[in-house]
Amino acid sequence: MNKKKAIIWLSSICVLALGIANLFRFNHDELEFPRPKIYADAKMSGIFYQKIKKNQLIMKLRADEAILLKKDKRLTARHLTLSVLKDGTQLAKLRSLKGELDLDTMDALFLDDVRLETKNNGVLFTQKLRYIPSSELLTTDVPVIIQKGGLKVTGKALSYNLKTGKMLIKESKTFIESQ
Amino acid sequence: APTKKTDESIHITSNQMEAMDKEGKVVFKGNVVAKKGGLTIYSDVLTVYYQSKKGTKGKDRRALKRLIAKGNVRIIQGNKTAKGKIAIYDKDTEVIQLSGNAQVWQGKNTVKGNKITFYINEDKSIVESAPGKKVEAVVFSGEQ
């Protein structure tokens, strides 16, 4: 008699377990793959942001769409344009498909189809470019192409000081057009 | 001699390139190879001086003024090879001045001097000795 009772108990527990498992079967994503969720503090579109310092406009940022992550103090954006100005002159204008802005340091990272135009008619193309406002430096460790007034340069990495105008390119190939 | 029009565009490769806009120069460092038409210059460092000119449509254009090659300088043009410490190429005159134990070969023939000046468009070169020294030339008879 006991044996019978034990079997009945066992089977009912199995049925119960199956039932519970079925319950969770539809959102197994939560159960099996708990992906980290990015809690956006704010999602914006059609952004226009200006930074003024000592009554001087030093930066303008436009973006189709941006997500503010307060905890990380970060702003991620899509289709953005950043202009850097000094004493009313535009030092550089940068465009890319994706970008990230560190709201503490204002360091910016530009990704995908990055295009930089400098005040002396130089144009730079790359897929990744970092802008460090504290030292007015632009750097990248991926290939770049630069075109400027009859000069074309390709290289594997670059650092460009907007203040001094000094540009350093690794493994460069330069083509100087005939004049 | 009629001035020969050479291909004017210049190709330069190097380990590193440093552009200094304010000073109007670009410095190439490490395994530098500069090619212009049939002329090739190898060196450790090459500095390109340019000036900004107004090109077509009023756009800024960089016009090459001068190239200075330093360190293990080798210049090859056709069957001529030259070696020295410093080479200065002037765009307007199309002249290269090679100095610092300068030596030029053509086949097995060779000439050594303190300074060798190449007139690129005229296929002519002049070898000068240091004060109190002589130019040294070794010419093989019947050498093509």
Side-chain angles (χ1 to χ4, degrees):
Chain A
M1 187 39 201
N2 273 344
K3 214 177 180 180
K4 215 175 180 181
K5 246 185 190 172
I7 291 169
I8 292 166
W9 260 104
L10 253 177
S11 51
S12 53
I13 286 169
C14 281
V15 165
L16 191 68
L18 263 173
I20 292 169
N22 257 320
L23 249 177
F24 284 99
R25 201 181 49 168
F26 293 108
N27 44 21
H28 65 272
D29 283 356
E30 267 338 292
L31 199 66
E32 283 171 29
F33 311 105
R35 249 176 278 128
K37 274 207 168 153
I38 295 176
Y39 293 97
D41 296 286
K43 189 168 183 186
M44 302 158 271
S45 51
I47 293 97
F48 178 64
Y49 167 82
Q50 288 196 146
K51 179 158 188 173
I52 293 171
K53 200 173 174 184
K54 294 172 188 155
N55 292 322
Q56 284 275 343
L57 176 61
I58 59 168
M59 187 164 84
K60 286 188 291 188
L61 174 68
R62 281 180 199 281
D64 282 4
E65 186 191 290
I67 292 176
L68 178 63
L69 305 162
K70 246 195 245 162
K71 193 166 60 83
D72 303 347
K73 294 186 178 165
R74 211 155 41 94
L75 183 82
T76 66
R78 298 170 63 80
H79 295 282
L80 56 146
T81 303
L82 173 75
S83 301
V84 177
L85 302 101
K86 191 171 188 182
D87 308 331
T89 314
Q90 180 172 282
L91 291 184
K93 185 175 185 176
L94 235 147
R95 269 182 257 146
S96 70
L97 296 184
K98 280 190 261 174
E100 271 189 27
L101 193 62
D102 179 319
L103 296 172
D104 253 351
T105 60
M106 296 309 275
D107 286 9
L109 176 63
F110 297 86
L111 299 164
D112 301 351
D113 298 346
V114 183
R115 175 191 168 103
L116 162 68
E117 291 157 25
T118 60
K119 71 173 195 283
N120 36 35
N121 301 321
V123 184
L124 177 143
F125 303 95
T126 184
Q127 290 304 316
K128 174 177 143 187
L129 193 61
R130 185 177 299 280
Y131 169 55
I132 305 162
S134 54
S135 45
E136 289 190 52
L137 205 58
L138 285 166
T139 67
T140 186
D141 52 8
V142 301
V144 291
I145 297 173
I146 293 162
Q147 283 166 341
K148 187 179 173 204
L151 183 78
K152 182 181 175 186
V153 184
T154 62
K156 293 277 170 61
L158 163 130
S159 86
Y160 178 39
N161 190 314
L162 288 168
K163 209 183 315 185
T164 62
K166 199 179 241 188
M167 178 186 289
L168 199 64
I169 296 173
K170 291 267 184 255
E171 294 183 42
S172 68
K173 285 195 171 76
T174 303
F175 172 75
I176 304 173
E177 227 174 60
S178 60
Q179 283 103 39
Chain B
T3 308
K4 192 166 55 177
K5 186 75 181 159
T6 57
D7 171 9
E8 297 282 322
S9 58
I10 300 173
H11 295 240
I12 305 171
T13 57
S14 65
N15 292 352
Q16 177 184 299
M17 167 195 158
E18 204 171 331
M20 288 159 245
D21 249 359
K22 291 182 177 157
E23 293 143 63
K25 70 177 181 181
V26 180
V27 181
F28 298 87
K29 290 178 182 165
N31 299 315
V32 184
V33 181
K35 289 184 177 166
K36 179 179 186 284
L39 180 76
T40 304
I41 301 177
Y42 298 87
S43 64
D44 297 338
V45 178
L46 179 72
T47 305
V48 175
Y49 293 90
Y50 58 84
Q51 56 201 352
S52 286
K53 283 183 181 174
K54 282 300 170 201
T56 51
K57 297 174 209 149
K59 274 216 165 184
D60 236 7
R61 290 190 60 69
R62 289 175 162 202
L64 174 73
K65 262 193 337 189
R66 205 154 32 110
L67 297 182
I68 299 183
K70 284 185 179 169
N72 297 310
V73 177
R74 229 166 8 106
I75 302 171
I76 296 176
Q77 186 183 34
N79 65 348
K80 265 190 281 183
T81 301
K83 207 179 63 161
K85 287 190 180 134
I86 296 178
I88 301 173
Y89 163 68
D90 184 85
K91 168 75 174 72
D92 294 337
T93 57
E94 285 284 325
V95 165
I96 296 176
Q97 285 193 343
L98 181 64
S99 54
N101 300 329
Q103 185 167 356
V104 58
W105 289 264
Q106 191 160 15
K108 281 199 276 185
N109 301 332
T110 180
V111 181
K112 258 192 216 172
N114 181 52
K115 185 168 83 172
I116 301 177
T117 305
F118 299 91
Y119 296 83
I120 299 172
N121 287 344
E122 299 164 47
D123 248 353
K124 174 178 89 175
S125 32
I126 296 175
V127 184
E128 295 164 70
S129 66
K133 286 203 172 177
K134 297 252 191 285
V135 168
E136 205 182 311
V138 177
V139 180
F140 289 79
S141 63
E143 180 60 37
Q144 289 306 318

